[in-house]
Amino acid sequence: MSANRIPLIAGNWKMNGSRADARAWAEAAVAAAGDASNDAAVFPPYPWLGEVAGVVGGSRVALGGQACHGEVSGAYTAAVSAGMLMETGCRYVLCGHSERRALFGEDDAFVAGTLGAALRAGLEPVLCVGETLEERETGNTQSVLLRQVDAGLAEIRGPDDPLTIAYEPVWAIGTGKAASPAEAAEAHGWIRARVAETDAERAGRVRILYGGSVNPENIGGFLEVPDVDGALIGGAALDPAKFSAMIRATPATAPGA
Ligand code: 13P
């Protein structure tokens, strides 16, 4: 973390939890976030967005959608528009999560379309980027990340458009094998430098989150990295005690640090 940027601790619930779980998890996050020094956000499954909006409304926990479509409306069965997310109380939307890219065929052009739609609807996109293990092992990490970042940045219309970026190496997601803080530092440095090429001021304020097997034991190590501005958490965010601990984590006092 850096003194200029408040870390964001975000929980991506993916396709998990009942309505009652969603309420309980959101209530725990609100309680943990009350006087925490980090910002917090949760990304519930679509059907629970309204329920969770009622819980987190007026609190320090922001709401986000896990994806959106690039079109405003139309015959896109099962898709959700950015405007719908906005009207449900969302502030954020994930764009190009690796599971959307790998399992649902979202390519860079599609992801860029969702990012543009998010901005036009008034949402803050969280552009997710990350290399596969094969891309890392063949020395292509930097080129993959910059390609994905460039596709998203092309949709930015001006300095006032909000943006968060999440670096989530595919090989670290759900595997229990997190990147090292040094690996995150390298990747985040590349990403921030790329943002600086088009907008130096934005590069100083854009939050770049690390995601991939983050837990209460390792989050403190990531928050120590100057270019890491928080975390995007999957599995460990489904445990309210763990997520609460991570919302309250700091580089100095992180649980287990
Ligand atoms: P895990 O924390 O389960 O590795 O998931 C990370 C992720 O994909 C968050 O979006």
Side-chain angles (χ1 to χ4, degrees):
M1 63 181 282
S2 137
N4 308 327
R5 299 180 294 269
I6 298 170
L8 173 63
I9 307 300
N12 173 11
W13 298 350
K14 307 191 181 183
M15 195 174 74
N16 291 294
S18 65
R19 180 191 295 272
D21 290 331
R23 173 166 278 279
W25 297 345
E27 285 170 349
V30 167
D35 60 349
S37 55
N38 300 319
D39 289 339
V42 292
F43 293 77
Y46 296 137
W48 313 147
L49 280 170
E51 180 92 14
V52 174
V55 176
V56 304
S59 83
R60 291 200 54 219
V61 179
L63 187 65
Q66 296 178 10
C68 68
H69 199 276
E71 297 295 335
V72 170
S73 64
Y76 302 101
T77 299
V80 165
S81 74
M84 292 170 186
L85 295 177
M86 187 73 188
E87 202 175 332
T88 313
C90 288
R91 169 174 172 186
Y92 296 104
V93 62
L94 303 182
C95 296
H97 189 281
S98 72
E99 287 147 19
R100 299 300 308 177
R101 294 177 189 264
L103 305 175
F104 297 90
E106 293 190 5
D107 60 13
D108 282 332
F110 186 91
V111 172
T114 72
L115 193 147
L119 290 172
R120 288 189 293 276
L123 293 168
E124 175 162 346
V126 179
L127 173 64
C128 302
V129 301
E131 80 287 0
T132 63
L133 186 59
E134 187 192 350
E135 288 163 344
R136 173 163 284 268
E137 287 177 341
T138 52
N140 290 309
T141 299
Q142 185 178 20
S143 66
V144 167
L145 298 182
L146 298 188
R147 191 199 75 223
Q148 294 174 338
V149 168
D150 286 349
L153 289 180
E155 297 293 320
I156 300 283
R157 300 159 303 179
D160 293 337
D161 274 349
L163 179 69
T164 292
I165 298 174
Y167 169 56
E168 298 204 298
V170 177
W171 48 271
I173 294 178
T175 59
K177 203 178 168 306
S180 68
E183 287 168 330
E186 182 179 49
H188 286 223
W190 289 331
I191 293 167
R192 198 176 301 281
R194 192 61 148 209
V195 174
E197 286 175 25
T198 52
D199 185 339
E201 195 276 326
R202 179 185 296 280
R205 72 181 143 88
V206 66
R207 290 197 283 206
I208 306 176
L209 316 181
Y210 168 76
S213 296
V214 176
N215 60 42
E217 286 69 46
N218 64 19
I219 192 167
F222 289 110
L223 293 179
E224 274 168 12
V225 177
D227 273 329
V228 174
D229 309 308
L232 182 55
I233 303 154
L238 306 180
D239 178 325
K242 288 185 180 172
F243 191 54
S244 296
M246 292 186 284
I247 287 174
R248 302 180 70 81
T250 69
T253 61

